[in-house]
């Protein structure tokens, strides 16, 4: 029988909140040594200002020098092919080269062109939720299908493959699984993406993969196209779906805030920013490796050390924002680190924000009586996932 590992400090939560021990580190020494889910030790940085310092300085905190999870179980050739195109694993100038090709697809102008289609997808999901009858699982019928359909259409992924890549994404992000199972999921994912890329190269469509093949086919290798597609599909699907599920649970637990979003469209934009800060669903950014000795919060950290940033702790830092433990959708929480910071700031942030700005009000207006099916039921949190959320959310209306 496989024993479930203990949750590392930086992934421990008390419901929506980081555990008190993590807050004590942030408000005390600021940095602590921890064991990573990948079997090595690292310095965990917890203060908002220090997290921004690490993320904004790729020269001293390198992404490229950090081995990705499971690389130790692969040959050098396979490891290189797996890493190709993965923007989060590169520093400038290589990171800049790759990101420059994708940036035009994620501008606000491009996102505004997508808005009517996203609205249609949201309405279709709400229809499906209503047809399911109450009580229904909001994750299955709403939080999951909305972003997955959006990113599928953007990348040209067949809708029929949605369930398959969701199951694989869950395994990829589950730190409780043995590494060989997560490596197997990486290999399955790469094989699937390679098939998509081959089809796009043979017949480029109007989706993003087709655009990359047509406009940058001479600049990007097939392996790089596979890596880019896999990263965008995983990030665009898992993060927003968990924000919609966990965010709805947070609003149902704060009914006065929920009512403001439902009744006043002007509240939606600041509410999304506050939910991003307060929930901080990305628990673990890829670690950085120090290229020289550095000092953080008065701690000398040697060259060659792994450094991790706790976004939940940083976004609840009282030095960053007043009364950080309170959800207050009126303040907007400008400057939060939920999308990261610096050169690796989330490329898809405009898309995620748009999906949430459309989805939350539409849900709350379609179902003004939305409520938890069983208010006393314990939430089914994704405790071991790199992207925090809920597995299921049973609601009625």
């Amino acid at each position: 029988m496989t024993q479930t590992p203990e949750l590392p400090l930086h992934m421990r939560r008390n419901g929506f909140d980081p555990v008190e021990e993590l807050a004590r580190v942030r408000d005390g020494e600021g940095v602590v040594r921890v064991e990573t889910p990948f079997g090595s030790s690292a310095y965990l940085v917890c203060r908002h200002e220090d997290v921004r310092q690490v993320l904004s300085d790729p020269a001293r905190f390198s992404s490229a020098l950090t081995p990705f999870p499971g690389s130790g179980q692969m040959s050098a050739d396979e490891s290189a092919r797996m890493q190709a195109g993965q923007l989060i694993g590169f520093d400038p100038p290589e990171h800049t080269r790759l990101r420059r090709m994708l940036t035009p697809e994620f501008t606000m102008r491009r996102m505004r062109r997508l808005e009517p289609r996203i609205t249609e997808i949201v309405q279709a999901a709400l229809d499906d939720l209503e047809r399911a009858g109450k009580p229904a699982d909001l994750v299955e019928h709403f939080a999951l299908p909305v972003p997955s359909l959006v990113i599928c259409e953007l990348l040209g992924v067949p809708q029929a493959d949605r369930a398959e890549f969701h199951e694989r994404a869950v395994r990829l992000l589950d730190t409780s699984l043995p590494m060989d199972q997560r490596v197997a999921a990486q290999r399955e994912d790469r094989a699937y993406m390679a098939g998509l890329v081959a089809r796009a190269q043979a017949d480029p469509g109007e989706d993003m993969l087709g655009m990359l093949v047509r406009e940058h086919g001479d600049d990007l290798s097939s392996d790089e196209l596979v890596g880019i597609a896999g990263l965008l599909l995983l990030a665009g699907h898992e993060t927003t779906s968990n924000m919609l599920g966990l965010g709805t649970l947070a609003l149902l637990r704060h009914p006065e805030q929920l009512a403001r979003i439902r009744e006043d469209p002007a509240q939606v934009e600041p509410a999304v920013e506050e939910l991003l800060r307060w929930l901080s669903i990305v628990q673990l950014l890829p670690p950085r490796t120090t290229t020289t000795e550095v000092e953080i919060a008065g701690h000398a950290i040697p060259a060659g050390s792994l450094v991790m940033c706790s976004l939940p702790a940083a976004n609840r830092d009282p030095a960053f924002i007043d009364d950080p433990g309170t959800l207050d959708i009126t303040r907007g929480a400008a400057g939060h680190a939920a999308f990261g910071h610096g050169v690796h700031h989330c490329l898809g942030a405009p898309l995620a924000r748009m999906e949430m700005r459309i989805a939350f009000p539409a849900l709350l207006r379609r179902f003004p009586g939305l409520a938890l099916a069983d208010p006393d039921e314990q939430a089914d949190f994704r405790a071991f996932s790199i992207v925090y959320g809920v597995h299921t959310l049973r609601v009625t209306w």
Side-chain angles (χ1 to χ4, degrees):
M1 181 176 173
T2 304
Q3 186 175 4
T4 302
E6 182 183 1
L7 268 172
L9 172 62
H10 51 280
M11 295 179 72
R12 293 180 203 159
R13 299 240 190 167
N14 179 15
F16 299 113
D17 308 324
V19 292
E20 188 59 35
E21 184 182 355
L22 194 58
R24 283 199 297 271
V25 171
R26 180 197 60 220
D27 300 339
E29 59 266 43
V31 176
V32 67
R33 291 292 293 272
V34 296
E35 293 300 310
T36 74
F38 319 120
S40 53
S41 65
Y43 291 86
L44 182 67
V45 179
C46 299
R47 296 174 183 166
H48 185 265
E49 181 181 354
D50 297 333
V51 163
R52 286 170 67 93
Q53 175 192 336
V54 171
L55 299 181
S56 63
D57 190 353
R60 294 194 304 153
F61 301 93
S62 169
S63 298
L65 294 177
T66 306
F68 66 86
S71 58
Q73 298 189 19
M74 302 175 188
S75 67
D77 179 63
E78 182 183 17
S79 180
R81 295 184 74 188
M82 285 283 192
Q83 193 166 7
Q86 298 279 342
L87 280 76
I88 56 176
F90 291 99
D91 301 323
E94 182 63 8
H95 170 270
T96 309
R97 178 184 78 87
L98 293 169
R99 185 163 175 136
R100 188 181 294 127
M101 299 179 203
L102 291 168
T103 300
E105 292 301 301
F106 289 96
T107 60
M108 278 310 301
R109 195 169 86 174
R110 167 71 167 146
M111 291 304 103
R112 279 194 289 271
R113 292 209 305 270
L114 290 174
E115 186 169 358
R117 180 59 186 140
I118 293 173
T119 300
E120 289 176 1
I121 289 172
V122 167
Q123 293 304 323
L126 291 172
D127 292 343
D128 181 59
L129 180 63
E130 191 165 15
R131 280 193 301 270
K134 50 189 176 182
D137 181 7
L138 185 114
V139 172
E140 177 186 354
H141 294 285
F142 183 72
L144 194 56
V146 167
S148 63
L149 274 175
V150 171
I151 199 67
C152 278
E153 291 194 5
L154 203 58
L155 287 171
V157 177
Q159 185 176 336
D161 296 346
R162 205 177 72 206
E164 175 191 339
F165 79 67
H166 170 63
E167 183 274 332
R168 198 163 50 237
V170 170
R171 284 188 286 139
L172 282 166
L173 295 171
D174 187 349
T175 61
S176 72
L177 293 178
M179 187 54 73
D180 60 342
Q181 292 185 32
R182 296 174 65 197
V183 168
Q186 287 182 48
R187 288 172 172 147
E188 292 168 24
D189 192 61
R190 193 186 185 287
Y192 175 76
M193 292 298 163
L196 283 184
V197 167
R199 289 199 292 274
Q201 289 171 324
D203 183 20
E206 295 305 311
D207 51 75
M208 192 179 297
L209 262 184
M211 177 278 296
L212 287 170
V213 168
R214 279 194 308 275
E215 298 183 14
H216 304 288
D218 295 335
D219 306 314
L220 291 168
S221 68
S222 294
D223 285 337
E224 287 176 325
L225 283 166
V226 169
I228 288 169
L231 178 62
L232 293 178
L233 185 59
L234 180 67
H237 161 251
E238 279 295 305
T239 49
T240 310
S241 67
N242 283 289
M243 271 302 302
L244 291 175
L246 196 63
T248 301
L249 176 60
L251 291 172
L252 289 171
R253 296 267 176 89
H254 296 77
E256 72 292 346
Q257 313 247 356
L258 182 153
R260 285 178 172 176
I261 296 174
R262 185 181 60 228
E263 294 159 12
D264 181 4
Q267 293 288 343
V268 176
E269 194 162 334
V272 165
E273 298 308 313
E274 174 70 346
L275 284 166
L276 285 162
R277 177 200 72 84
W278 196 71
L279 296 172
S280 295
I281 60 163
V282 177
Q283 308 204 86
L284 179 61
L285 290 173
R288 271 55 169 179
T289 299
T290 54
T291 60
T292 185
E293 181 177 299
V294 297
E295 182 176 306
I296 303 175
H299 297 261
I301 298 177
S305 300
L306 283 183
V307 174
M308 296 196 308
C309 294
S310 172
L311 300 188
N315 281 333
R316 298 286 189 97
D317 188 345
F320 157 58
I321 201 163
D322 292 336
D323 193 16
T326 297
L327 178 68
D328 177 3
I329 64 164
T330 65
R331 61 178 157 195
H336 66 73
F339 286 119
H341 183 65
V343 297
H344 289 287
H345 182 271
C346 177
L347 184 66
L351 176 60
R353 285 183 165 112
M354 175 169 283
E355 290 179 71
M356 286 184 277
R357 285 200 300 263
I358 294 170
F360 280 126
L363 170 68
L364 301 179
R365 289 172 193 149
R366 171 72 76 91
F367 302 107
L370 191 72
L372 295 171
D374 181 356
D376 297 323
E377 184 179 22
Q378 286 287 99
D380 186 17
F381 292 111
R382 293 165 41 126
F384 280 92
S385 179
I386 292 169
V387 180
Y388 195 58
V390 284
H391 290 286
T392 59
L393 184 61
R394 294 174 62 252
V395 296
T396 187
W397 52 86

